[in-house]
Amino acid sequence: MAALAVILLGVVHVVTPTLRFLDGSPRSVWLSAAGGVAVAYVFVHFLPELAGGEASVGRMAGDTFGGFSERHVYLIALTGLMTFYGLDRLAKVDRSRRAGIPVTDARGASVDVGTGAGVFWIHMGSFGLYNGLVGYLLLHREATGPASLAFFTVAMALHFVVTDYGLNEDHKAAYRRIGRWVLVVAVLAGFAVGAATAVSDAAVAALTAFLGGGVILNVLKDEVPSKRQSRFWAFALGAAGYSALLLTL
């Protein structure tokens, strides 16, 4: 079942940039609903797991940081959020700077430029690690079993739709030509590493915390800005509906 899950996640990366119905303003109801599902998964499932893994992470870190040892797992989640916030700002600033440079295609038509090569590869490297982490956690999560795997897979698949849409907006043709395939390979590689190795409960809790922080940032950065004209009702419906399903676990 986990093998089917990783294939599904890879397919999401391949097809999302071709889904034209996600384009336009106001923001697509499908993107807002997908974001709601991903955020619901973090708050209803990830955060309780973090609370459960807090003790093991604290033992792994020892008493080096005194009282902070009780909050290591939350500091890791904050690190994940801040890491992807910094990467998003890097891409947005670079794209804004390059927008002032006129670019045309072979027919002389104006082309909406993306980021530069350096920022593109920084983004692909970081999101490659992010995807590898998702692939790894398909096999090594705090909660196990078919139902847990199914909920995790659906939440991450919809989350990938949201992040892929944003990456396609930032990097344009470079993402469609190369970037999405990098992420497909990354999630498959993470799954392969997970099949070949196993780490401690504390390490799984730390990886889950980092991923949770990243998911929160990568969803909210596209839903919160007013210029996105996001569909609050779709976001809320996705979050409420998936929360209700998660509570049945």
Side-chain angles (χ1 to χ4, degrees):
M1 189 172 177
L4 291 176
V6 75
I7 291 171
L8 171 64
L9 294 177
V11 169
V12 168
H13 286 306
V14 175
V15 303
T16 297
T18 68
L19 301 178
R20 298 277 68 86
F21 67 85
L22 297 178
D23 294 337
S25 182
R27 187 168 172 83
S28 166
V29 296
W30 301 108
L31 287 173
S32 290
V37 167
V39 167
Y41 187 84
V42 170
F43 281 94
V44 178
H45 198 72
F46 265 2
L47 292 186
E49 284 189 359
L50 296 188
E54 183 180 353
S56 59
V57 173
R59 286 193 300 271
M60 180 179 69
D63 297 324
T64 305
F65 301 102
F68 287 108
S69 64
E70 299 176 356
R71 300 181 180 88
H72 279 141
V73 72
Y74 299 105
L75 292 174
I76 294 169
L78 177 62
T79 299
L81 187 150
M82 294 302 296
T83 297
F84 286 95
Y85 176 69
L87 290 167
D88 181 65
R89 291 306 305 154
L90 179 65
K92 294 296 190 292
V93 169
D94 187 66
R95 184 182 170 196
S96 177
R97 178 183 61 81
R98 288 169 56 83
I101 304 173
V103 177
T104 58
D105 61 17
R107 294 173 295 179
S110 177
V111 176
D112 187 8
V113 298
T115 58
V119 172
F120 170 74
W121 283 112
I122 290 173
H123 237 179
M124 289 306 100
S126 58
F127 273 91
L129 292 173
Y130 184 80
N131 275 35
L133 177 54
V134 171
Y136 186 88
L137 290 176
L138 284 172
L139 295 170
H140 301 284
R141 297 178 314 285
E142 292 272 332
T144 58
S148 173
L149 175 61
F151 277 112
F152 178 75
T153 302
V154 170
M156 291 302 100
L158 293 175
H159 175 53
F160 281 176
V161 171
V162 175
T163 56
D164 280 15
Y165 183 82
L167 290 170
N168 188 45
E169 277 195 319
D170 285 336
H171 303 298
K172 308 299 181 185
Y175 182 72
R176 294 187 292 273
R177 187 176 64 254
I178 302 172
R180 57 177 168 167
W181 300 107
V182 171
L183 299 189
V184 170
V185 171
V187 73
L188 293 173
F191 182 81
V193 172
T197 64
V199 296
S200 66
D201 290 344
V204 170
L207 295 174
T208 301
F210 186 84
L211 179 62
V215 170
I216 292 171
L217 187 281
N218 284 317
V219 171
L220 295 186
K221 73 180 176 63
D222 287 324
E223 288 296 328
V224 171
S226 58
K227 68 177 182 178
R228 293 286 189 182
Q229 299 182 29
S230 299
R231 310 291 190 117
F232 172 75
W233 67 267
F235 182 85
L237 186 61
Y242 211 66
S243 295
L245 287 175
L246 286 168
L247 291 175
T248 66
L249 276 178

